[in-house]
């Protein structure tokens, strides 16, 4: 019996190969997209899951009135360990703030991510060097390991894992050290590094003014995290009161601690940006909706084919076939189509994967057991067979033999409304995608065309190891001689150095002015910082060599900072922070240093900050027509210009670095573009086949109308009318949903376009036009046919 049903299934599929191809092709395209989305979702939601302590690891964060951060003071780690029995282990980590050069003879390695960790943190985070994790001896020793890739760069022919001597910094620095071995860099982790430096303890001698470490906790199983969070907050407030005697109790009460699980850090950090999570949710919803549309196509076309199978069902029932047997037969046919669709989908996904990996900066592969496709695909095959096939199978197997064999069969009103409803649903989803795409495009155009308040073009960011500060901190040097040498090179208009560059995060510190105390952003700069970036002055002046006090206690603030402290006439007023009373000499106009998603933060700029970070970020403004010449001169003269940095000259263009802030939104634009194209394509495929079925069912009606005098245009209007109404209804249904979704997305931007009307109008025009063209092409054959051919047997 099974063999017979299989033969019948194959014959039917071949006989209706046009509809079969549309069914299988549309489903394969949707499945390919869904497979890629599943792989990406699996990858994004499994960061650090290889860690055996995954469920019990938390990071300690601090909440201030203005912001949240994972950076805290090293002594707090010891305090937590000493006070809470539910904490099994406490570790400290610190990421490097600048690029480090490591040399082995003529071979040079530039490391941007050296992770410093104490021994406990290495155990908590499952950091495993080759040969196992070894505890350093004493408090001073540091065991440094480099990733496998980094070790191959420095020691390409190395076969063993023995320690190696290397040089740090420039060739003339004279600083050497030992690399203890290699370590696997787990790219599927929140803690990615070029190398790891492990010590017994970190932060010895630090106090509660130095918030530059991250505390990792491993809790005992069953710990009440919410209760522990409150106890850690109480402890932190008590420690602050002891360490900062001048601090008022009400100020301390505004500060609290929180625990963020390891599972949150990649997608939904409490002290960070959850844009990756939103993109993952959007991508997952898109993948599911595209697959649903394809399943709707399948269901719609299968029901539309019902009349062709009616007599077959009638004869089988007369011959004694049960409904369950017929249902099974039809489900087998549908299963075969779905199976072929999955094979084609895997081929398509493999072809698209390189572009997908490039867009999302990942390295996914289909043929990897870790992506879980080996069990997900069979489950998907079963689910789509049931979703796409169960209703058509029940409809087909439920025909009454007496009626169909008399020729009185017609599909029920329920099937008619279901087909039309599913078609409306398909186009509703397509319209939402089209509107979303146009809205995203509008916001991106706005972001790319708006004046951000400073200019990054012609500015080169030079990577540098030398620490610059004025007045000089311990181990730092004066930037002025370096600046003077650079300005002698033809084409260089200005040069400066700062603690941070636009596009990244700034430092945060507490400042008081005008009776108000608040945590605000700070940037430590040198002369010509504002001129190099072409930042506009609102009132007062920039820093200048002609004013000796500028290197001692002068400050420039932005408009938002002046407003924060309620300063109507800020020039000449005092703002106190880092133990210095700064005199405000200038107010700059607000500029979007952190992009469009975050509102401009109140910021203070100073030359002298004893508690600030080192100035390492060199920026040079170069004449456009002399860019290549100036960069070549800088490279050849760098050892003489900046001796402590050495012969290694590296640079990036600042506009490219700032442009990375738009990367996630550009990804979203690409995703919605692909989704809109796919949904429209799949919907049009279904519409094409459905229009063919409807047209074929009305051939005799069309013939009679033509004989009675109807022209081609009238008949085209007649056939298009039903589909036109359905697409119009789809637009009306989808507009409110699209409005809500796109409005919520736009609200994630501090600076955004007003809700545009054009996308709604364009979505209607595009879908109606595509519908009319598709139906007209399909109906043309029936309209142009000779009426005699359709009526000759009547």
């Amino acid at each position: 019996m099974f063999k017979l049903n299989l033969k019948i299934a194959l014959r039917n599929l071949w006989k209706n190969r046009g509809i079969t191809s549309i069914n299988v092709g549309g489903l394969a395209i949707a499945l390919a997209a869904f497979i890629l989305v599943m792989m990406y979702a699996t990858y994004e939601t499994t960061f650090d899951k290889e860690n055996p302590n995954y469920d019990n690891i938390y990071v300690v964060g601090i909440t201030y009135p203005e912001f949240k951060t994972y950076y805290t003071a090293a002594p707090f780690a010891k305090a937590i360990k000493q006070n809470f029995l539910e904490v099994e282990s406490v570790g400290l980590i610190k990421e490097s703030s600048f690029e480090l050069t490591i040399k082995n003879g003529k071979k040079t390695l530039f490391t941007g991510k050296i992770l410093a960790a104490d021994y406990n943190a290495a155990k908590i985070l499952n950091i495993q060097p080759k040969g196992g994790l070894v505890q350093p001896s004493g408090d001073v020793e540091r065991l440094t390991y480099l990733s496998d890739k980094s070790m191959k760069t420095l020691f390409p022919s190395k076969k063993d894992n023995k320690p190696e001597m290397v040089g740090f910094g420039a060739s003339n620095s004279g600083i050497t050290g030992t690399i203890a071995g290699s370590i696997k860099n787990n790219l599927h982790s929140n803690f990615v590094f070029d190398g790891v430096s492990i010590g017994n303890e970190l932060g010895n001698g630090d106090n509660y003014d130095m918030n530059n470490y991250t505390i990792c906790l491993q809790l005992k199983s069953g710990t009440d995290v919410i209760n522990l969070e409150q106890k850690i907050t109480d402890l932190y407030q008590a420690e602050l009161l002891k360490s900062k005697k001048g601090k008022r109790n009400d100020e301390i009460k505004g500060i609290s601690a929180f625990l963020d699980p390891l599972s949150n850090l990649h997608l939904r950090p409490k002290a960070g940006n959850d844009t990756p999570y939103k993109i993952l949710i959007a991508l997952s919803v898109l993948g599911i909706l595209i697959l649903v549309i394809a399943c709707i196509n399948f269901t719609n076309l299968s029901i539309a084919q019902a009349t062709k199978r009616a007599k077959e069902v009638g004869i089988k029932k007369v011959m004694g076939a049960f409904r369950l047997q017929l249902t099974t037969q039809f489900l087998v046919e549908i299963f075969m189509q779905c199976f072929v669709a999955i094979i084609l989908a895997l081929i398509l996904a493999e072809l698209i994967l390189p572009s997908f990996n490039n867009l999302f900066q990942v390295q996914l592969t289909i043929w990897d057991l870790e992506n879980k496709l080996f069990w997900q695909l069979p489950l998907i095959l079963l689910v789509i067979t049931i979703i796409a096939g169960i209703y058509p199978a029940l409809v087909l197997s439920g025909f009454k033999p007496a009626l169909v064999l008399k020729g009185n069969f017609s599909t029920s009103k329920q099937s008619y409304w279901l087909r039309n409803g599913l078609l409306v649903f398909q186009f509703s989803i397509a319209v939402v995608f089209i509107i979303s795409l146009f809205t995203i495009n509008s916001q991106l155009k706005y972001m790319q065309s708006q004046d951000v308040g400073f200019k990054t073009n012609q500015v080169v960011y030079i990577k540098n190891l030398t620490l610059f500060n004025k007045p000089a901190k311990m181990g730092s040097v004066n930037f002025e001689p370096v600046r003077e040498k650079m300005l002698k090179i033809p084409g260089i208009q200005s040069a400066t150095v700062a603690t941070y560059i636009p596009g990244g995060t700034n430092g945060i510190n507490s400042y008081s002015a005008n009776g108000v105390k608040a945590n605000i952003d700070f940037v430590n700069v040198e002369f010509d910082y504002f001129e190099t970036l072409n930042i506009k002055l609102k009132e007062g002046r920039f820093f200048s060599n002609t004013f000796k006090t500028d290197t001692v206690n002068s400050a420039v603030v932005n408009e938002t900072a002046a407003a924060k402290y309620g300063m109507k006439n800020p020039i000449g007023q005092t703002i106190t922070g880092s133990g210095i009373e700064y005199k405000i000499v200038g107010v700059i106009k607000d500029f979007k240093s952190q992009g469009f998603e975050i509102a401009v933060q109140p910021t203070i700029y100073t030359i002298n900050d004893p508690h600030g970070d080192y100035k390492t970020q060199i920026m040079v403004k170069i004449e456009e027509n002399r860019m290549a010449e100036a960069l070549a001169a800088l490279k050849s003269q760098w050892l003489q210009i900046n001796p402590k940095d050495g012969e290694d000259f590296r640079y990036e263009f600042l506009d490219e670095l700032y442009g990375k802030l738009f990367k996630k939104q550009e990804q979203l634009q690409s995703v919605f573009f692909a989704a809109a194209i796919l949904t429209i394509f799949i919907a049009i495929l279904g519409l094409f086949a459905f229009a063919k079925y409807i047209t074929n069912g009305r051939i005799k009606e069309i013939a009679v109308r033509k004989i009675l005098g109807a022209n081609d245009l009238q008949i085209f209007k007649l056939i298009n009318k039903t589909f036109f109404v359905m697409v119009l209804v789809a637009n009306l249904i989808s507009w409110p949903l699209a409005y809500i979704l796109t409005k919520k997305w736009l609200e994630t931007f501090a600076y955004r376009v007003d809700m545009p009307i054009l996308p709604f109008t364009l979505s209607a025009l595009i879908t109606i036009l595509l519908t009319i063209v598709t139906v007209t092409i399909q109906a043309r054959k029936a309209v142009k046919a000779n009426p005699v051919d359709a009526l000759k047997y009547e």
Side-chain angles (χ1 to χ4, degrees), residues 385-440:
T385 299
I386 294 170
I387 291 174
I390 195 69
Y391 186 77
L394 291 174
V395 169
L396 290 166
S397 63
F399 293 152
K400 306 292 183 187
L403 292 176
V404 297
L405 292 176
K406 284 180 183 178
N408 294 332
F409 168 77
S410 63
T411 53
S412 66
K413 287 184 179 179
Q414 288 86 350
S415 295
Y416 171 81
W417 282 109
L418 179 65
R419 288 199 312 270
N420 291 354
L422 292 176
L423 196 63
V424 168
F425 180 72
Q426 275 184 310
F427 273 94
S428 295
I429 295 173
V431 168
V432 170
F433 287 165
I434 293 169
I435 292 171
S436 300
L437 173 63
F438 282 121
T439 305
I440 292 169

Side-chain angles (χ1 to χ4, degrees), residues 455-468:
K455 291 184 179 179
T456 55
N457 58 319
Q458 297 175 235
V459 179
V460 174
Y461 159 58
I462 300 175
K463 296 182 177 181
N464 157 67
L465 298 177
T466 305
L467 311 176
F468 296 107

Side-chain angles (χ1 to χ4, degrees), residues 669-685:
Q669 183 189 38
S670 300
V671 166
F672 270 89
F673 177 76
I677 296 296
L678 276 177
T679 51
I680 290 170
F681 178 71
I682 293 169
I684 292 300
L685 275 181

Side-chain angles (χ1 to χ4, degrees), residues 629-641:
E629 176 191 342
L631 288 173
L634 281 168
K635 184 174 182 180
S636 63
Q637 300 174 33
W638 194 242
L639 185 58
Q640 291 77 39
I641 293 172

Side-chain angles (χ1 to χ4, degrees), residues 754-769:
D754 294 327
M755 191 68 198
I757 298 173
L758 186 62
F760 295 86
T761 308
L762 286 175
S763 69
L765 290 175
I766 289 170
T767 49
I768 289 170
L769 182 62

Side-chain angles (χ1 to χ4, degrees), residues 267-443:
L267 292 174
R268 289 186 295 173
K270 291 181 181 178
N273 193 337
D274 65 348
T275 300
Y277 175 73
K278 291 174 182 175
I279 287 180
L280 179 62
I281 293 296
L283 201 61
S284 301
V285 171
L286 294 182
I288 292 168
L289 287 176
I290 289 169
L291 188 59
V292 167
I293 287 175
C295 289
I296 286 171
N297 252 9
F298 205 107
T299 302
N300 232 348
L301 295 178
S302 297
I303 295 172
Q305 288 288 97
T307 52
K308 293 186 177 181
R309 307 293 298 273
K311 288 186 179 179
E312 174 195 338
V313 172
I315 291 169
K316 282 188 174 181
K317 282 196 169 183
V318 169
M319 298 293 290
F322 293 105
R323 186 172 186 180
L324 179 61
Q325 292 173 310
L326 293 170
T327 302
T328 304
Q329 178 197 330
F330 294 129
L331 281 174
V332 167
E333 289 182 25
I334 290 163
F335 175 83
M336 289 168 63
Q337 293 177 73
C338 292
F339 181 77
V340 173
I342 278 192
I343 301 300
L344 292 175
L346 285 170
I347 296 170
L348 280 172
E350 182 68 25
L351 294 173
I352 299 168
L353 195 55
S355 299
F356 186 89
N357 282 340
N358 184 56
L359 175 64
F360 289 97
Q361 298 297 298
V362 291
Q363 294 296 323
L364 303 179
T365 173
I366 290 175
W367 316 111
D368 183 0
L369 292 179
E370 289 185 7
N371 61 29
K372 302 181 182 178
L373 281 180
F374 70 94
W375 66 264
Q376 289 175 340
L377 284 179
L379 182 63
I380 291 168
L381 179 60
L382 180 64
V383 170
I384 61 173
T385 299
I386 294 170
I387 291 174
I390 195 69
Y391 186 77
L394 291 174
V395 169
L396 290 166
S397 63
F399 293 152
K400 306 292 183 187
L403 292 176
V404 297
L405 292 176
K406 284 180 183 178
N408 294 332
F409 168 77
S410 63
T411 53
S412 66
K413 287 184 179 179
Q414 288 86 350
S415 295
Y416 171 81
W417 282 109
L418 179 65
R419 288 199 312 270
N420 291 354
L422 292 176
L423 196 63
V424 168
F425 180 72
Q426 275 184 310
F427 273 94
S428 295
I429 295 173
V431 168
V432 170
F433 287 165
I434 293 169
I435 292 171
S436 300
L437 173 63
F438 282 121
T439 305
I440 292 169
N441 193 49
S442 296
Q443 176 64 16

Side-chain angles (χ1 to χ4, degrees), residues 12-28:
N12 276 318
L13 293 175
W14 180 251
K15 184 179 178 182
N16 301 295
R17 52 187 175 274
I19 298 295
T20 301
S21 299
I22 290 173
N23 262 352
V24 173
L27 198 55

